[in-house]
Amino acid sequence: MSSPATGEGAGNTEYGRKAFKRSKSHFADRITADGRDGWPVEPGRYRLVVSRACPWASRVLVSRRLLGLEDALSLGVTDPVQDDRSWRFTLDADDRDPVLGIRFLHEAYDKRETDYPGGVSVPAIVDVPSGKLVTNDYQQITLDLATEWRDLHRPGAPDLYPEALRDEIDEVAEGIYRDVNNGVYRAGFATSQEEYEAAYRDVFRRLDQVSERLRDQRYLVGDTLTEADIRLFTTLVRFDAVYHGHFKCNRNKLEQDPVLWGYVRDLYQTPGFGDTVDFDHIKRHYYVVHTGINPTSIVPVGPDLSGWLTPHHREQLGGRPFGDGTPPGPVPAGEEIPAGHRP
């Protein structure tokens, strides 16, 4: 999610006032085992910067937890309410990231490319020694964590991108990206009735297809958690809280679809998923930052979160969440979601 989300460099008041276009990741270097782009996988060398409000950043948070990379890849969390200068480290002492020493994420972008004109987006991985941004390629980062970072995975880490299933995972994830992950933004930031209604139809057509797919199987591809589930989860977990009302995707709430509501609760209650989700950050970002859509910046009190912890019964479909592996351990100290920000 860039600042602003369109990646066009306009202020927060422009949300909903100009045609939405998802920016491509400008910095697409990869951190690989062989270091072919100049960035070799090394424990402790890089810092992951996220907003817990952002669904694209949340993918990386889930992957990092499931794979047990917390010690290898440190975490910086920004204020969910960014200003026109970019994501801010106002949650940290002295309003500075304690590792990078910067107040705004754009400082890492500027070290990489002077006067970079594009949006400052999360997730971002920064090289700690140089302070330079390495990559903001949200589509590739999680795939590389699952494959290129394998030597640093915890014992019992799941294979989130199994080679035999990659074609199917990619196909499923592409449809979800186009119509759901990105579709809710196309609806929310539409500037014409026609544009909005087309995106709305795409969102619910795809959700209906996904619901049918998940009716008799626990996970999207195969019988274990994969990259496809992570990519769907980060939109579904935000759906009732922000996309249903704020982005006008209001045919129905997720909790009114028994299959999707059971599926997303199953994931939420799986270690590594729900323990990365901060509903307060999510709501405050969308409702406060998008002043072109919500000029009063009033943040809704609801919805009631207690349902997220109710039984989902999806285990009756079988499936092995972590395959031959094990769940991740406890959330590291300092990364816990505050009690008031979760069910």
Side-chain angles (χ1 to χ4, degrees):
M1 185 179 294
S2 58
S3 173
T6 53
E8 299 300 322
N12 295 341
T13 57
E14 292 303 303
Y15 287 110
R17 299 183 188 277
K18 60 191 299 185
F20 176 73
K21 182 180 180 181
R22 174 71 54 196
S23 298
K24 292 184 178 179
S25 299
H26 182 75
F27 301 99
D29 286 5
R30 295 175 60 190
I31 301 170
T32 57
D34 63 8
R36 55 186 176 272
D37 284 358
W39 308 105
V41 172
E42 293 180 17
R45 175 171 174 176
Y46 306 101
R47 187 157 178 82
L48 170 64
V49 178
V50 303
S51 164
R52 290 194 185 274
C54 171
W56 320 100
S58 292
R59 294 178 178 183
V60 191
L61 286 170
V62 173
S63 297
R64 176 176 171 270
R65 280 277 293 132
L66 294 176
L67 299 172
L69 290 170
E70 294 100 325
D71 290 338
L73 179 62
S74 69
L75 179 66
V77 178
T78 66
D79 192 308
V81 179
Q82 81 267 47
D83 63 22
D84 290 344
R85 293 169 293 182
S86 86
W87 297 98
R88 310 174 295 165
F89 292 100
T90 50
L91 303 180
D92 296 302
D94 194 34
D95 295 345
R96 292 182 183 276
D97 181 88
V99 172
L100 300 173
I102 58 178
R103 297 181 61 217
F104 298 94
L105 181 55
H106 77 72
E107 296 174 56
Y109 277 70
D110 291 344
K111 282 194 174 182
R112 173 67 185 274
E113 183 176 311
T114 305
D115 298 325
Y116 164 64
V120 176
S121 66
V122 288
I125 297 184
V126 180
D127 178 49
V128 174
S130 68
K132 293 180 179 180
L133 176 77
V134 176
T135 178
N136 65 354
D137 190 350
Y138 61 93
Q139 296 280 49
Q140 187 63 43
I141 289 173
T142 49
L143 300 181
D144 284 342
L145 291 185
T147 56
E148 299 291 335
W149 291 64
R150 196 179 298 274
D151 287 348
L152 298 178
H153 290 181
R154 65 178 174 87
D159 186 353
L160 298 175
Y161 197 47
E163 198 158 357
L165 297 177
R166 287 181 188 177
D167 287 346
E168 186 178 0
I169 291 170
D170 291 346
E171 180 182 2
V172 170
E174 173 57 31
I176 288 169
Y177 167 77
R178 183 179 61 250
D179 297 334
V180 179
N181 301 145
N182 207 43
V184 292
Y185 279 86
R186 290 192 290 112
F189 291 143
T191 56
S192 72
Q193 188 72 28
E194 182 180 26
E195 184 184 352
Y196 157 71
E197 290 186 11
Y200 174 101
R201 288 192 296 269
D202 288 344
V203 168
F204 285 102
R205 184 183 66 251
R206 183 66 60 176
L207 286 179
D208 288 344
Q209 291 175 3
V210 170
S211 180
E212 186 61 31
R213 183 184 185 95
L214 290 167
R215 186 174 302 279
D216 298 314
Q217 63 187 65
R218 191 171 179 184
Y219 303 113
L220 282 170
V221 181
D223 67 348
T224 64
L225 292 164
T226 69
E227 175 78 16
D229 297 294
I230 296 172
R231 295 189 179 201
L232 180 57
F233 171 79
T234 59
T235 295
L236 294 187
V237 79
R238 288 161 171 76
F239 200 89
D240 289 2
V242 290
Y243 301 143
H244 177 272
H246 185 58
F247 278 178
K248 306 179 184 71
C249 294
N250 63 350
R251 190 193 74 179
N252 57 271
K253 292 183 177 178
L254 204 65
E255 65 179 15
Q256 293 172 304
D257 182 313
V259 173
L260 291 181
W261 181 227
Y263 168 78
V264 75
R265 279 181 295 147
D266 185 5
L267 295 185
Y268 184 86
Q269 294 171 30
T270 299
F273 283 84
D275 53 32
T276 69
V277 176
D278 189 315
F279 284 103
D280 175 77
H281 280 206
I282 290 168
K283 292 199 301 181
R284 281 200 290 130
H285 170 77
Y286 283 89
Y287 286 103
V288 173
V289 171
H290 300 165
T291 54
I293 300 174
N294 186 39
T296 63
S297 294
I298 292 172
V299 180
V301 175
D304 178 12
L305 298 178
S306 60
W308 285 98
L309 302 181
T310 58
H312 52 76
H313 306 298
R314 295 279 294 179
E315 66 278 355
Q316 296 172 8
L317 295 174
R320 303 174 301 141
F322 303 99
D324 295 328
T326 57
V331 177
E335 295 188 14
E336 305 94 338
I337 305 300
H341 298 189
R342 52 185 167 85

